Amino acid sequence: MTLTYVFHSCFVLETDKSILIFDYWLDPYDVVSSFLKKSKPIYVFSSHFHEDHFNSAIFKWKEQHEDITYVLSKDIYKHRRANKEDANVWLAKGGTWSDGTVSVWALGSTDCGVSWIVETGGKRFFHAGNLNNWYARFLQDVKPGETIYSEEFDEEIDPIAHEKQYLGELKDISKITNSFDVVMFPVDGRIGNGYTLGGRQFIERFNVGLFVPMHFVASGFESSWRMKEFTDEKGIPLWTISREGETIHL
């Protein structure tokens, strides 16, 4: 079983029986094409409609590979980024699906769409989508009930309420399981001080076999390695990804 980093939040998981592709956006080093040439069934996941997590080009893959199952968040359809018939499975938070090879649970997000729990090949995976404590850097500047204006987001935000929502989503996930073999999670330096807080709060609440950073394209590979200090404290391996197309054996 292998996990290959494509770009941003996109990974390809290959097992003995199938290939799973998560949150395809761009593929500047043509990583995905070699997987499309294989004879295994392919499952394609998109967590939400944002262009950096969903690209309608995934539907063209059917021209190259006969056995593809599209498992997409319902918000993609609601935002008219795809037609209802484009996906085999549409899921919102609380939805589940299984075909005997792959079992899927759609969990919540603090942004749009869903996060994914996926079981296959005897292992359990978590792909966070855009689930994170995105406003962590503002927490020290406000009191409960206060908002603060963010120039970056051009809106008034309530970072304490947002964190409460995030921790609530983690509680919902824990109702399904408290253990993952692999967790793919945003470690995005653009969000400023405390950009590792969401990841730290996740590994404090779940047993994690391997922590895989994602969503770090703008801030660079090395920025995501900041999580190593915290995963080391928990005895959790961190995949220090250094290039597109890099593969790790699980």
Side-chain angles (χ1 to χ4, degrees):
M1 187 177 290
T2 62
L3 188 66
T4 300
Y5 174 68
V6 178
F7 189 74
H8 196 55
S9 297
C10 181
F11 295 87
V12 180
L13 171 67
E14 182 173 10
T15 74
D16 290 341
K17 295 182 178 179
S18 60
I19 294 169
L20 287 67
I21 304 175
F22 294 92
D23 279 22
Y24 178 89
W25 172 29
L26 301 174
D27 186 5
Y29 291 89
D30 194 28
V31 176
V32 172
S33 62
S34 63
F35 291 98
L36 296 177
K37 295 175 183 176
K38 299 188 178 186
S39 58
K40 298 176 183 179
I42 294 177
Y43 298 82
V44 180
F45 297 83
S46 296
S47 64
H48 62 285
F49 78 96
H50 289 170
E51 66 175 8
D52 61 331
H53 290 258
F54 169 77
N55 186 335
S56 61
I58 60 176
F59 301 126
K60 296 181 180 179
W61 295 346
K62 290 184 291 187
E63 300 171 5
Q64 306 172 56
H65 197 288
E66 294 182 355
D67 190 357
I68 297 186
T69 300
Y70 295 94
V71 183
L72 307 185
S73 169
K74 281 186 177 180
D75 75 305
I76 295 170
Y77 171 64
K78 289 179 180 178
H79 283 85
R80 300 181 180 180
R81 296 294 308 281
N83 299 315
K84 194 169 185 178
E85 62 271 17
D86 287 331
N88 303 87
V89 184
W90 293 102
L91 292 178
K93 180 182 178 180
T96 62
W97 175 81
S98 179
D99 68 351
T101 299
V102 174
S103 296
V104 183
W105 291 258
L107 279 302
S109 175
T110 44
D111 192 352
C112 297
V114 301
S115 51
W116 303 114
I117 296 175
V118 178
E119 290 186 358
T120 189
K123 294 188 180 295
R124 184 179 298 130
F125 301 84
F126 182 76
H127 189 287
N130 259 10
L131 175 68
N132 198 4
N133 192 343
W134 291 109
Y135 304 144
R137 79 170 186 261
F138 299 113
L139 288 170
Q140 63 184 359
D141 299 326
V142 297
K143 297 177 181 179
E146 290 183 348
T147 62
I148 189 169
Y149 177 72
S150 167
E151 293 185 0
E152 177 184 0
F153 298 101
D154 190 25
E155 62 179 337
E156 289 285 331
I157 60 176
D158 184 339
I160 293 178
H162 181 82
E163 180 178 59
K164 184 178 180 180
Q165 179 194 0
Y166 172 65
L167 297 178
E169 297 295 353
L170 297 190
K171 186 175 181 180
D172 288 343
I173 294 168
S174 70
K175 295 174 183 177
I176 306 295
T177 183
N178 66 354
S179 179
F180 296 99
D181 293 285
V182 178
V183 168
M184 292 161 273
F185 197 93
V187 182
D188 190 338
R190 294 177 304 169
I191 66 177
N193 291 336
Y195 73 92
T196 62
L197 181 59
R200 284 148 46 198
Q201 291 170 322
F202 193 97
I203 63 176
E204 287 170 358
R205 289 162 174 77
F206 296 93
N207 298 316
V208 177
L210 174 67
F211 190 95
V212 179
M214 66 181 193
H215 213 283
F216 52 75
V217 164
S219 52
F221 288 100
E222 293 186 7
S223 68
S224 71
W225 304 348
R226 179 75 176 87
M227 271 299 296
K228 192 174 190 305
E229 173 186 348
F230 308 107
T231 54
D232 282 353
E233 289 178 358
K234 295 286 185 180
I236 300 170
L238 173 76
W239 184 13
T240 52
I241 305 170
S242 60
R243 61 176 177 83
E244 289 82 5
E246 186 173 335
T247 294
I248 190 170
H249 291 266
L250 305 177

